[in-house]
Amino acid sequence: MSEFRIHHDVNELLSLLHVRGGDGAEGYIDLLQKHRTPYVTTTVSAHSAKVKLAEFSKTPEDFLRKYEELKSKNVRNLDPLVYLLSKLCEDKETLQFLQQNAKERSESSANTTSTTTTSYSLPQTSTKMSMQELDELRKKLGNVTASSNAPLPAEVTRKMLRDKHNKKNPTQPNPVFPNWVYDRPALIGDFITSPTPQGEPAVPVGTLPLGTQEQALVEDLLFVLIGVDGRDITAQPVLGRQNRSFIVDPTLDMSVKELVNRILPVASYYSTITRFIEEKSSFEYGQVNHALTAAMRTLMKEYLILVTQLEHLQRQGLLSLQKLWFYIQPTMRTMEILSSIASSVDKGECMGGSTLSLLHDRTFNYTGDSQAQELCLYLTKAASVPYFEILEKWIYRGIIKDPYSEFMVEEHELQKEKIQEDYNDKYWDQRYTIVQHRIPSFLQKMADKILSTGKYLNVVRECGRDVTCPDAKEVLYTLKERAYVEQIEKAYNYASKVLLDFLMEEKELVSRLRSIKHYFLMDKGDFFVHFMDLTEEEMKKPVDDIVPPRLEALLELALRMSTANTDPFKDDLKIDLMPHDVITQLLRVLAIETKQEKAIINADPPDVALSGLEAFSFDYIVKWPLSLIINRKALTRYQMLFRHMFYCKHVERLLCNVWISNKDFRQYSLHSAKWFAAAFALRQRMLNFVQNIQYYMMFEVMEPTWHIMENNLKTASNIDDVLCHHTSFLDNCLKDCMLTNPELLRIFSKLMSVCVMFTNCMQRFTQSMRLERLSMEQGTMDEPSAQSEQADEPEKKKLTTKFLADHADSLQTDASFEATISKFDSNFSMLLLDLLDKLSIYSTNDCEHSMISIIYRLDFNGFYTERLERMAIERSQKAAA
């Protein structure tokens, strides 16, 4: 059982039992995973569990009847369930809790129904019903009940199966038998029951001498054994899947009647088998059932030969009732087994793999009876031939040829060309899927490998290469599972190697991943510097004003003029302008299947239009079959990482531009402007924060995780391992870069916003100072001669600098710039402390040890240590209170 199935079942059970509190589902799931053991069904354990439950039940007959009904339908996991229930009966505490829970649920449901139901009363009649009318009403009600429980007619079932197949395969309709096959009952070989009863014989058989009675009954029995009514023994009509019963002349001698009743079950078995063969031979029931009926038909020929020989003896007067009983006894056991199998397949509505499961289980259940086991083994081998032919084509060539939907692997029509738009690995996960009820029980352990084997070969085939397993041998059913398990293992190993070599060597998967790393994980530094320089002006525009072809041209120019020019896959890199900024995109992804999902999705779009820089992202063209690994889901993760780091790089450039601009003001002596020194210090702290965050993400998260993935890919044995390692790499990067935690993401977003607003404020001040300088310089010029202008230049600069210094001090004092810078400082410090505090909590409580290195880098001199300790103490005091 998969981990997901355990989670689902535990949560369902807790919700049904209305269990609240405690450790929750996770606690029970951990206990189950630690202590679960595989349950091996044995006849003894299943029987003892059934007996124990029957003794515990208030109505043991009903329980046993229901058990046998489910057993006849070949319900899977019935014996393990009965065993579990028998263990629950032994646990008094659990039993008491379940009884109390059932009582509470019944009371609550009774209260609910009492408020919602409407009472009805029978209309009063003026006259009383007579006994005859009451009997007629009772018969009508009985007929309605019987008809409601009766199975659908065979022609309706066939039509449903045919319509289902034709809907799935409209180009390959099922072949259909002509109507006269079903309209002529004499062709079936079963009893023809006439609606009008035959007239009574002239002389009752009971009045004849004993020898004559015996001869008459022998003749009748020989007719009845081949599906023809006799004179004194007639078949009753059957409804649905009932067993055939017979009416014997009541005037017969008791000794003769006793022998007749012993032989009649064989006729009932014959009727059941014949009806089964005729019904399941239709194409609608599949190849496995058709093969099974063909094997049964062969056995029935031997039975009919025996009856023919007995008729020959009867004509010679050498066959008595006792001899007939003697000759028929060995066949009775065979007919009983065949009839039992036919009834079980019919009741369970088995097809394909479920039919083989039933036959396999029967074969093992008859371990002590060699004759019965040999018979079941013959039937299972015959029925498994068409199933194994489909299996061979799948595991040896990657082709499914399953016209009647019997095979365990089901194919779905999905287009591989749409993988670029698929965010959910749909093609790889849903193109071919396992159908549980079609898996034969003897192939249950190998089901996943069978699915993977065909999928691997199918991928290579769809790339135009014909592949066939060199170790292909015919797969035959045997009680020794190791025989076909070895064949499946060989086919799986070959398919894994073929596809892995194809992707790694011919399609250069690792080189492709390295190429994606160069661009999405910002591996090529000179390329990004060049690209950001070229597109700086274009990126400042609103996203609606940007011309994508211009960005594409600048991207190509940056690629050609940097070290990225050596990348053979550089032409697959494309520009993508997203509808949301990276923080909104991440929060929308993280809100999936949470309470906030609807609120975030239905939120009104922001009034401020996105800039090109906020909407910018890379995209990458990936073709089949590499798109199985580098699918849209993986590319979206790459895009999230890229946009996050790209925005950090943008903020770093803004802070560096502020530093460059501030270099110009060193020539001014702004001694009275305290805010200027504070702005310098704050800018340096912001730059230190952004650079350390980038260093952490690139060199402490992505590079080590990339090397781990690269080493794992070298040892991968199949494509599923490659998918797992690649997905794990991306998930670890997203988690360690704080992109999977909404709380950390919001704080980080606010920190980036504060940095951007600070740079905008400083740039506005810089621009105002430059404008003042230009206007001052122009105002002091009175157009002197060129010679005098050169002589007075130093003096003019000195006067301009002094004026600007005085003017800037007064300007910023009036605009309360000092308070503005102080507010930026306090906001940045508060958010940074909050981030460090949250990181310390997650690194200790959630064992996210990699994140603690951010604290060490940002708090390298212990500047924040004291305040972080104070916050931790306050938090613990609140928790204690």
Side-chain angles (χ1 to χ4, degrees):
M1 186 184 288
S2 66
E3 188 176 348
F4 172 78
R5 182 66 185 273
I6 294 173
H7 276 72
H8 173 74
D9 289 347
V10 168
N11 282 303
E12 283 289 310
L13 187 59
L14 291 178
S15 65
L16 286 172
L17 296 175
H18 302 293
V19 176
R20 300 288 183 272
D23 296 333
E26 294 300 326
Y28 297 109
I29 290 164
D30 290 340
L31 283 173
L32 280 172
Q33 289 180 333
K34 287 177 183 176
H35 299 99
R36 63 175 175 157
T37 54
Y39 171 72
V40 181
T41 307
T42 62
T43 307
V44 177
S45 61
H47 180 73
S48 60
K50 180 181 72 173
V51 171
K52 192 179 294 182
L53 272 181
E55 292 172 353
F56 182 80
S57 173
K58 293 180 181 178
T59 54
E61 295 85 2
D62 293 340
F63 167 76
L64 291 173
R65 193 181 303 113
K66 189 66 178 176
Y67 176 85
E68 293 301 330
E69 179 188 342
L70 295 173
K71 198 70 176 172
S72 68
K73 291 182 178 180
N74 195 38
V75 174
R76 292 200 177 187
N77 299 322
L78 177 63
D79 288 335
L81 175 63
V82 170
Y83 181 79
L84 173 65
L85 294 175
S86 69
K87 288 296 181 183
L88 287 175
C89 293
E90 297 175 359
D91 191 340
K92 293 182 179 179
E93 187 178 351
T94 305
L95 203 59
Q96 187 177 359
F97 172 77
L98 290 173
Q99 289 171 344
Q100 180 64 26
N101 184 269
K103 184 180 178 183
E104 291 173 359
R105 288 176 62 193
S106 62
E107 288 174 356
S108 63
S109 62
N111 293 334
T112 306
T113 52
S114 64
T115 59
T116 56
T117 55
T118 308
S119 59
Y120 294 94
S121 58
L122 289 171
Q124 294 183 356
T125 56
S126 57
T127 56
K128 293 183 179 180
M129 294 180 68
S130 64
M131 291 301 296
Q132 185 178 357
E133 290 174 336
L134 190 63
D135 289 339
E136 288 179 1
L137 179 62
R138 189 180 291 115
K139 286 178 182 178
K140 287 180 181 179
L141 291 173
N143 292 336
V144 170
T145 307
S147 62
S148 63
N149 294 329
L152 293 171
E155 58 270 16
V156 176
T157 306
R158 284 195 298 270
K159 186 177 184 305
M160 288 171 60
L161 291 170
R162 191 161 56 246
D163 292 344
K164 182 181 177 183
H165 171 82
N166 293 341
K167 186 177 179 181
K168 187 178 178 184
N169 302 304
T171 57
Q172 297 177 347
N174 261 335
V176 183
F177 282 131
N179 289 332
W180 57 264
V181 174
Y182 307 108
D183 295 339
R184 298 174 67 178
L187 293 176
I188 295 175
D190 193 19
F191 294 93
I192 302 173
T193 53
S194 58
T196 56
Q198 296 177 357
E200 293 184 1
V203 180
V205 71
T207 61
L208 301 174
L210 192 61
T212 309
Q213 286 186 37
E214 186 175 347
Q215 289 300 318
L217 265 297
V218 167
E219 185 178 354
D220 269 12
L221 282 172
L222 289 174
F223 279 116
V224 169
L225 289 175
I226 57 172
V228 180
D229 282 333
R231 191 185 66 171
D232 303 306
I233 304 173
T234 56
Q236 290 280 78
V238 292
L239 181 65
R241 300 186 178 103
Q242 293 178 355
N243 291 326
R244 179 80 68 180
S245 59
F246 299 90
I247 298 175
V248 183
D249 193 321
T251 62
L252 272 177
D253 185 79
M254 288 300 296
S255 59
V256 175
K257 195 172 184 178
E258 179 64 27
L259 269 176
V260 168
N261 286 333
R262 288 185 187 180
I263 298 170
L264 279 179
V266 181
S268 178
Y269 300 150
Y270 170 82
S271 176
T272 301
I273 297 164
T274 304
R275 279 181 284 137
F276 175 81
I277 289 173
E278 293 302 325
E279 182 183 351
K280 302 300 179 184
S281 295
S282 299
F283 296 105
E284 291 84 359
Y285 292 97
Q287 299 178 83
V288 172
N289 282 343
H290 188 81
L292 175 62
T293 56
M296 283 186 171
R297 207 184 292 271
T298 303
L299 294 172
M300 292 300 289
K301 286 179 182 177
E302 296 178 6
Y303 166 79
L304 292 173
I305 290 170
L306 171 65
V307 175
T308 305
Q309 291 172 347
L310 292 174
E311 285 178 353
H312 185 65
L313 289 175
Q314 190 261 344
R315 289 195 197 97
Q316 295 177 350
L318 301 175
L319 186 66
S320 63
L321 206 56
Q322 287 81 5
K323 284 185 178 180
L324 177 60
W325 168 240
F326 173 77
Y327 288 129
I328 209 75
Q329 276 190 75
T331 309
M332 181 177 276
R333 178 61 175 156
T334 302
M335 297 293 285
E336 181 185 3
I337 293 169
L338 292 177
S339 173
S340 172
I341 290 172
S343 298
S344 297
V345 172
D346 198 24
K347 287 179 182 177
E349 298 178 352
C350 300
M351 283 180 64
S354 54
T355 299
L356 293 179
S357 295
L358 187 146
L359 292 170
H360 174 76
D361 294 342
R362 287 297 176 91
T363 306
F364 261 93
N365 290 340
Y366 289 128
T367 301
D369 188 344
S370 58
Q371 183 182 355
Q373 190 177 48
E374 188 177 349
L375 173 64
C376 288
L377 186 60
Y378 166 74
L379 291 175
T380 312
K381 282 183 176 179
S384 65
V385 169
Y387 193 90
F388 279 135
E389 285 177 357
I390 302 172
L391 177 67
E392 287 168 18
K393 285 185 180 177
W394 176 245
I395 64 172
Y396 292 150
R397 300 189 63 195
I399 299 172
I400 282 189
K401 193 175 181 182
D402 182 22
Y404 302 103
S405 301
E406 299 173 282
F407 191 49
M408 68 173 78
V409 179
E410 188 172 42
E411 183 178 9
H412 304 277
E413 290 298 326
L414 294 173
Q415 295 180 3
K416 60 177 180 291
E417 290 79 11
K418 291 189 176 179
I419 292 183
Q420 281 289 308
E421 287 78 40
D422 174 27
Y423 285 81
N424 298 307
D425 300 339
K426 186 185 289 183
Y427 188 88
W428 184 250
D429 292 338
Q430 297 182 21
R431 172 72 192 276
Y432 297 102
T433 56
I434 288 282
V435 183
Q436 285 296 329
H437 67 270
R438 296 186 199 165
I439 306 175
S441 54
F442 51 88
L443 292 177
Q444 184 73 49
K445 296 177 183 176
M446 304 297 294
D448 290 333
K449 283 196 173 181
I450 290 170
L451 173 66
S452 299
T453 303
K455 280 169 72 173
Y456 296 162
L457 293 176
N458 186 266
V459 171
V460 182
R461 283 183 62 81
E462 292 198 4
C463 294
R465 290 180 52 179
D466 190 19
V467 284
T468 304
C469 181
D471 298 325
K473 293 180 182 177
E474 186 181 6
V475 182
L476 297 172
Y477 174 79
T478 172
L479 288 176
K480 297 176 181 178
E481 291 185 12
R482 194 65 212 162
Y484 44 78
V485 167
E486 286 178 358
Q487 286 300 111
I488 294 168
E489 289 278 2
K490 287 179 182 177
Y492 174 76
N493 293 334
Y494 170 76
S496 302
K497 187 176 184 306
V498 165
L499 180 57
L500 199 61
D501 292 347
F502 181 67
L503 288 177
M504 290 292 190
E505 296 172 11
E506 190 169 328
K507 296 297 179 180
E508 301 177 289
L509 174 63
V510 177
S511 300
R512 281 278 180 180
L513 290 173
R514 285 200 191 101
S515 174
I516 290 174
K517 177 175 178 275
H518 292 331
Y519 309 117
F520 285 87
L521 304 187
M522 302 182 75
D523 198 6
K524 295 285 186 183
D526 65 321
F527 159 71
F528 278 99
V529 171
H530 197 49
F531 177 73
M532 294 179 85
D533 287 340
L534 288 172
T535 59
E536 186 172 9
E537 292 302 319
E538 194 74 17
M539 292 287 195
K540 289 177 182 177
K541 299 177 184 177
V543 67
D544 295 332
D545 297 340
I546 292 177
V547 183
R550 177 169 170 76
L551 274 183
E552 293 279 359
L554 294 174
L555 170 64
E556 187 172 356
L557 183 62
L559 286 169
R560 304 295 176 194
M561 296 178 66
S562 64
T563 54
N565 193 37
T566 58
D567 180 14
F569 309 114
K570 61 181 178 295
D571 293 332
D572 291 331
L573 187 66
K574 300 297 175 187
I575 297 290
D576 192 9
L577 296 174
M578 311 292 283
H580 307 288
D581 63 275
V582 62
I583 302 299
T584 306
Q585 183 188 12
L586 285 164
L587 290 176
R588 286 169 72 95
V589 171
L590 295 173
I592 291 173
E593 295 183 359
T594 65
K595 294 178 180 178
Q596 294 82 19
E597 179 178 13
K598 192 175 289 186
I600 289 178
I601 291 174
N602 296 332
D604 294 331
D607 297 332
V608 182
L610 285 179
S611 67
L613 191 131
E614 291 171 322
F616 176 76
S617 180
F618 281 143
D619 201 0
Y620 201 84
I621 297 173
V622 187
K623 295 181 180 178
W624 176 266
L626 290 174
S627 50
L628 289 172
I629 308 297
I630 312 168
N631 48 42
R632 175 49 57 185
K633 194 173 184 179
L635 282 174
T636 303
R637 290 170 176 170
Y638 276 117
Q639 283 181 332
M640 289 176 181
L641 288 167
F642 167 74
R643 296 182 74 192
H644 184 58
M645 291 193 298
F646 188 74
Y647 194 71
C648 289
K649 181 63 73 176
H650 164 66
V651 174
E652 182 193 7
R653 283 170 65 88
L654 290 178
L655 290 167
C656 289
N657 289 338
V658 171
W659 177 79
I660 293 169
S661 301
N662 291 347
K663 295 277 286 182
D664 295 341
F665 299 119
R666 289 189 177 181
Q667 56 185 313
Y668 310 134
S669 55
L670 306 178
H671 300 295
S672 61
K674 296 179 181 178
W675 61 266
F676 199 70
F680 269 49
L682 178 58
R683 183 213 64 223
Q684 195 56 38
R685 284 173 58 207
M686 289 179 173
L687 192 59
N688 178 65
F689 165 72
V690 174
Q691 288 176 338
N692 276 291
I693 285 288
Q694 286 185 89
Y695 181 90
Y696 161 75
M697 289 191 295
M698 297 185 72
F699 295 101
E700 295 189 21
V701 174
M702 293 177 188
E703 279 299 323
T705 315
W706 170 266
H707 286 300
I708 290 170
M709 182 191 74
E710 216 170 21
N711 292 331
N712 287 335
L713 291 182
K714 292 175 183 176
T715 59
S717 59
N718 56 60
I719 200 67
D720 285 300
D721 288 348
V722 174
L723 269 167
C724 181
H725 294 321
H726 186 228
T727 306
S728 177
F729 160 72
L730 290 170
D731 287 345
N732 289 335
C733 287
L734 286 167
K735 183 186 72 174
D736 291 339
C737 290
M738 303 179 289
L739 299 183
T740 58
N741 188 313
E743 195 171 10
L744 292 177
L745 195 59
R746 286 191 177 94
I747 298 171
F748 187 82
S749 172
K750 289 176 183 177
L751 275 167
M752 292 288 105
S753 299
V754 170
C755 293
V756 172
M757 286 189 289
F758 170 76
T759 58
N760 291 338
C761 177
M762 294 300 294
Q763 290 293 354
R764 282 197 301 272
F765 168 68
T766 304
Q767 289 172 3
S768 67
M769 289 293 291
R770 283 175 180 165
L771 287 171
E772 289 289 343
R773 178 177 179 178
L774 287 172
S775 63
M776 187 63 190
E777 287 178 352
Q778 288 175 0
T780 55
M781 289 182 184
D782 50 1
E783 299 184 4
S785 63
Q787 202 170 19
S788 62
E789 186 179 353
Q790 289 178 2
D792 294 342
E793 191 68 28
E795 188 65 27
K796 285 181 182 179
K797 283 189 176 181
K798 189 174 181 182
L799 289 171
T800 303
T801 303
K802 186 177 185 304
F803 173 81
L804 283 173
D806 297 338
H807 182 69
D809 281 349
S810 60
L811 175 67
Q812 302 312 323
T813 302
D814 294 339
S816 59
F817 241 61
E818 187 174 351
T820 304
I821 298 301
S822 176
K823 191 173 182 180
F824 275 125
D825 196 336
S826 63
N827 286 342
F828 180 77
S829 299
M830 181 184 66
L831 289 169
L832 185 56
L833 272 172
D834 196 15
L835 178 67
L836 295 176
D837 185 46
K838 292 292 187 296
L839 286 172
S840 65
I841 293 170
Y842 288 122
S843 61
T844 52
N845 294 357
D846 298 345
C847 299
E848 301 293 348
H849 300 303
S850 59
M851 289 186 182
I852 205 167
S853 59
I854 305 178
I855 301 175
Y856 294 145
R857 296 195 65 82
L858 296 175
D859 192 28
F860 63 93
N861 59 355
F863 180 74
Y864 300 105
T865 304
E866 184 181 347
R867 279 184 275 185
L868 286 172
E869 289 174 354
R870 196 184 308 128
M871 291 172 73
I873 292 169
E874 289 174 1
R875 190 167 53 249
S876 61
Q877 287 174 350
K878 285 181 182 179

